[in-house]
Amino acid sequence: MGTEASMQHVVVMRHGDRWDDAEPLWTAGAERPWDPPLTEGGRDRAYCVGRRLRRELGFPIHRAFVSPFLRCAETAAEVVTALCAVDHDDDLRRLAGETLSVDPARVKVSIEYGLCEIFSTKGIRVDRIPKDGEWSFNISELEAMMPAGTVDRTVECVDEKVDLKFLSFTISISSKGVRAVISAFLPDVRVYVVEYCAYSHQQRRISFNSDNKFTAGNFEVVPDDLETGIRFRLTSELKSVE
């Protein structure tokens, strides 16, 4: 038997509109100022972007790995709902606050500590770090936010058992999210806007041999004609302007 190859796709998305950006004074009295929820508009935006991914991305999303921050879990809940919705004409019902029927077999979700910016001094503001060092993530509560039947608790944490190329990719995500991914893979590009729920699309070739072992290529950013919410320019263009 010869070698078979396929493409692995990874979509990295920023969370939706966070409450402390809409209400800056919220952090002063918040019990967990480092862990704001989404605004209602942020939830709606996340659902709408998930709906657009379902309709226009060109390939199915089977797995979702989510940072344990509340804003990320709430974003994932809306996106996964859109991806798993049984009746694609239910969008108006969702925006009206109704619970939609979903097919949990379409996407499986795991909360992933390895995507959390607490492991990067560049990814979170010092004044938002808990003084006692206790982040106190309640994983059970976060998992309960996901559509029924979509949570997969059998997946090992990414920092425990994973190939080095994917680990490197994950570290780049946890440091500063979508902006870091684009900058890492496109060094000649300067990112100047990353909107809420903006996303980037990366892919790599996976080759399997007759022993069911595989080799993986390097990730590359895929040029996308869709509206992804990321604004950037080539550094050569910026130099010519300067």
Side-chain angles (χ1 to χ4, degrees):
M1 295 178 61
T3 300
E4 297 183 2
S6 60
M7 298 302 296
Q8 180 185 38
H9 299 273
V10 176
V11 175
V12 182
M13 179 182 291
R14 188 187 182 196
H15 55 76
D17 310 50
R18 50 191 290 170
W19 188 262
D20 55 340
D21 277 358
E23 297 289 344
L25 296 179
W26 174 84
T27 58
E31 182 178 351
R32 296 168 57 84
W34 60 87
D35 197 17
L38 296 184
T39 64
E40 191 62 34
R43 291 175 178 271
D44 291 342
R45 186 198 298 262
Y47 178 82
C48 290
V49 172
R51 178 184 59 186
R52 189 187 329 139
L53 292 176
R54 180 189 73 207
R55 293 176 175 177
E56 302 176 5
L57 194 58
F59 55 85
I61 294 176
H62 300 295
R63 287 278 177 177
F65 296 95
V66 186
S67 165
F69 280 107
L70 179 58
R71 58 189 177 273
C72 300
E74 290 181 341
T75 300
E78 297 296 340
V79 172
V80 172
T81 296
L83 294 174
C84 294
V86 174
D87 188 345
H88 293 176
D89 295 327
D90 279 348
D91 295 338
L92 292 178
R93 290 177 52 205
R94 155 59 189 81
L95 296 177
E98 298 183 34
T99 300
L100 303 186
S101 298
V102 299
D103 178 1
R106 294 182 182 177
V107 182
K108 292 300 180 182
V109 185
S110 299
I111 306 296
E112 176 50 67
Y113 277 106
L115 296 177
C116 183
E117 63 259 42
I118 62 174
F119 300 116
S120 169
T121 56
K122 297 180 180 179
I124 190 168
R125 287 172 47 180
V126 175
D127 61 338
R128 299 288 174 85
I129 296 176
K131 292 181 174 57
D132 59 4
E134 293 294 331
W135 296 87
S136 304
F137 293 122
N138 190 321
I139 300 302
S140 296
E141 288 186 2
L142 297 175
E143 290 177 339
M145 297 177 187
M146 305 302 153
T150 60
V151 174
D152 182 1
R153 299 180 179 85
T154 66
V155 177
E156 298 181 34
C157 289
V158 75
D159 57 347
E160 294 181 1
K161 184 179 181 182
V162 70
D163 69 88
L164 293 179
K165 290 179 180 177
F166 197 83
L167 179 59
S168 175
F169 179 72
T170 304
I171 291 173
S172 74
I173 296 173
S174 64
S175 63
K176 265 195 177 297
V178 176
R179 184 185 300 271
V181 174
I182 295 296
S183 300
F185 290 103
L186 298 176
D188 295 330
V189 161
R190 180 181 297 178
V191 179
Y192 59 91
V193 173
V194 179
E195 299 174 358
Y196 285 121
C197 290
Y199 65 91
S200 64
H201 172 200
Q202 293 70 226
Q203 68 180 19
R204 66 175 177 175
R205 184 173 296 278
I206 305 290
S207 299
F208 295 87
N209 60 26
S210 57
D211 297 327
N212 205 28
K213 296 180 179 180
F214 71 90
T215 57
N218 294 320
F219 280 104
E220 297 179 345
V221 173
V222 179
D224 207 323
D225 294 332
L226 302 179
E227 175 57 50
T228 66
I230 302 172
R231 304 285 185 271
F232 58 85
R233 293 185 66 176
L234 295 174
T235 53
S236 58
E237 293 178 354
L238 295 173
K239 289 178 181 178
S240 63
V241 172
E242 296 171 354

